[in-house]
Structures are given as structure tokens and as C-alpha cells.
Amino acid sequence: GDKTLGCMFEITLTRTASMSKLSDKLLEWCKMVERRIWAPQFGHHTLRHFVYPPTIAQTGDKTLEQRDGGTLKEMIVRKLERGGQKYQYWSLIDFDKPNLTSIVGDRASAGAVHAYLRRIPWLDIEKKVQPITSTIMRISVTLKPSFDWSSRWSGMTEPFIIWVEDPDSNDILHQESFQLLRANRFD
């Protein structure tokens, strides 16, 4: 299952010959199996993940559900799935609430879709490439979280894998994994 896919993914990261596209697909499959959420090409919307609650932990007198919001209604996600590609994450992320209201039918549901779209982990990446020699370059990367953190959905950390690839040969030139900590997300 997920361990086999994870091993295959790790192997593609250690090979340099034309593996970036395969690495990308294997990472996608690893996430789908681990989180039991299927990708849009299988007919499921990215927001479907928010229909099913994670384990609810007790914190003081409030549960995480009461503190960080409930779940997204399945009927809303089904409307988005029926819309096909035109209502996928990338096309909806820049919509404002009135535009979302015209899609889902009411303001409260549009507000929920708007909020959950912003909970999907995403990083803005700023890069600076500096040639050192004809075969060596220095790449400086600044990563900025561009999502609304929810302890209920992300926990205390959110894992990311960043890699540099040669677009001509699909070779992975460098890769790193890191955990974004909730406490350090603005540093």
C-alpha cells in the first residue's frame, strides 16, 4: 500500500535520469493512499477532504470542531464535482464570495467554500538563482505559507517536499523535505 508507493517515490528522488514527472505522480499517489482522498482526475473535488472530519481531540472545554469549525457539507462538494474542471481548486481560489454564491446557491455555503479553499496547504515560493561556475549554481528559496492554518486539519505540522528539476531533461537536481510548524509559520 502506502509504504510500497513511498519506497518507489524515495527511489525516484535518488535517481537523476528523467524522474521528476514520475516522482510527481508517485507523490500524488502516496498522498491519496495515506490520506484516503482521491485526486480530481478520479472525479473527486479537492474540497472533499473537508467533508469527513479528522479525529476530534478534546482541548479544555471545547472540541477542536467547535474551535476550528465543522466540516463542509457533502452536497456543496457534489455541486462542485458536477461542474467538472471549471470548478476545481485552481479556478475557484481567486473567486470572491458573490461569485461562489452564484455557483453553490447560497451565501452561507459560499462562505464555507471560501474558508475551506484557503485551508488547503500552499506555499508561495520566491527563488533567486545565482551562477557560480558553468556547471554549478546557487539557488536561494524563500517559502511563505499562503493558507489559513487549522489545527484540526493540519495538526501542529504540515509536511512539504521541494525539488529542483531540469525542465529539459526532467532530472531532479536537488530535493528536500521539511515540516512547516504551526508556531513558526510566519518566521
Side-chain angles (χ1 to χ4, degrees):
D2 62 338
K3 291 197 186 290
T4 304
L5 288 171
C7 288
M8 291 169 61
F9 172 68
E10 292 289 329
I11 289 168
T12 63
L13 290 178
T14 62
R15 307 291 187 260
T16 57
S18 302
M19 290 289 183
S20 65
K21 292 201 184 311
L22 180 58
S23 295
D24 187 40
K25 285 294 174 201
L26 284 169
L27 177 59
E28 188 177 333
W29 278 85
C30 286
K31 291 189 298 186
M32 287 190 291
V33 170
E34 178 184 318
R35 297 179 184 201
R36 293 177 177 84
I37 300 294
W38 298 107
Q41 66 262 33
F42 297 105
H44 296 290
H45 197 278
T46 306
L47 292 180
R48 182 161 287 285
H49 175 71
F50 296 110
V51 171
Y52 310 105
T55 305
I56 299 173
Q58 210 53 34
T59 54
D61 60 338
K62 291 185 176 182
T63 64
L64 284 176
E65 181 171 344
Q66 293 166 328
R67 222 180 44 179
D68 284 347
T71 58
L72 194 57
K73 293 178 182 160
E74 187 168 6
M75 65 169 211
I76 297 170
V77 175
R78 269 195 246 121
K79 277 185 184 179
L80 297 173
E81 288 171 345
R82 282 194 297 270
Q85 289 298 316
K86 70 180 179 178
Y87 294 148
Q88 285 303 320
Y89 173 78
W90 295 112
S91 50
L92 294 177
I93 191 65
D94 293 324
F95 278 32
D96 57 11
K97 289 180 187 175
N99 287 337
L100 289 172
T101 301
S102 68
I103 294 168
V104 296
D106 64 272
R107 288 178 36 195
S109 296
V113 168
H114 190 263
Y116 281 104
L117 283 168
R118 276 138 190 83
R119 286 189 181 170
I120 295 171
W122 177 255
L123 297 174
D124 286 332
I125 301 174
E126 294 176 19
K127 65 203 171 301
K128 187 167 102 178
V129 179
Q130 178 183 12
I132 305 293
T133 68
S134 61
T135 58
I136 299 173
M137 67 179 128
R138 173 182 291 141
I139 301 173
S140 302
V141 177
T142 303
L143 306 171
K144 294 181 182 176
S146 182
F147 64 99
D148 297 336
W149 195 289
S150 169
S151 293
R152 178 166 190 220
W153 299 100
S154 294
M156 297 308 293
T157 65
E158 192 65 55
F160 289 92
I161 298 174
I162 304 291
W163 68 67
V164 178
E165 68 181 69
D166 180 340
D168 296 328
S169 66
N170 291 323
D171 292 347
I172 296 175
L173 304 174
H174 181 77
Q175 64 87 22
E176 287 190 36
S177 302
F178 76 97
Q179 298 280 328
L180 177 64
L181 303 173
R182 178 187 168 119
N184 299 340
R185 69 188 183 275
F186 298 117
D187 293 345

